[in-house]
Amino acid sequence: MSSDTIGPATIRLTPVGSVPATIRLTPVEPAPAAPPAPAGPDPTTLPMGKHLATYLQHVAVERGMAKNTVSAYRRDLYRYVSFLHTQDVHEPSQVTLGHLTSFAQAVRDGADGAAPLSARSAARTIVAVRGVHKFWE
């Protein structure tokens, strides 16, 4: 196929030995930019954030999770550690059921200052949090 005409919103293609076909393209609005990350300290410098590096290495190497999954877990767990920091929780032993419940609600409604997550992404976040707590036991 060759492209005969390229216009602002129409491309006409002429297949060899066929009737010309026209494809009409509809302009698409760009996706809105993600809201900025919540202000606060870098999660990797927080006491609990330092514990996460070992867990993330564990899920990547020993459990063989995909690169994108490990990346999503990293984002989720850094968000969790940042949330706990705002609650004056600095060690895994200080985490209560109330902290977990508050965090679960915050990821769904964005109350922690980050973007609210879909039900599926929120569920993945809770799985990551549960996994890291099992690892820390």
Side-chain angles (χ1 to χ4, degrees), residues 12-121:
R12 186 179 343 136
L13 303 173
T14 308
V16 176
S18 253
V19 178
T22 301
I23 299 173
R24 187 166 303 272
L25 302 177
T26 305
V28 178
E29 292 293 322
D42 178 1
T44 60
T45 63
L46 301 174
M48 285 184 60
K50 293 177 182 178
H51 295 294
L52 291 181
T54 306
Y55 176 69
L56 292 168
Q57 182 178 8
H58 165 75
V59 298
V61 175
E62 295 179 29
R63 292 188 51 203
M65 287 190 174
K67 181 180 172 183
N68 287 343
T69 303
V70 174
S71 178
Y73 271 38
R74 180 178 293 108
R75 272 191 317 272
D76 297 340
L77 293 172
Y78 284 171
R79 182 174 181 171
Y80 178 59
V81 167
S82 296
F83 173 82
L84 291 175
H85 181 73
T86 66
Q87 305 293 309
D88 288 329
V89 175
H90 305 291
E91 292 297 325
S93 61
Q94 296 175 311
V95 178
T96 66
L97 182 58
H99 293 119
L100 294 169
T101 304
S102 295
F103 177 70
Q105 184 62 43
V107 298
R108 286 294 286 141
D109 62 20
D112 62 341
L117 298 180
S118 68
R120 182 174 290 175
S121 294

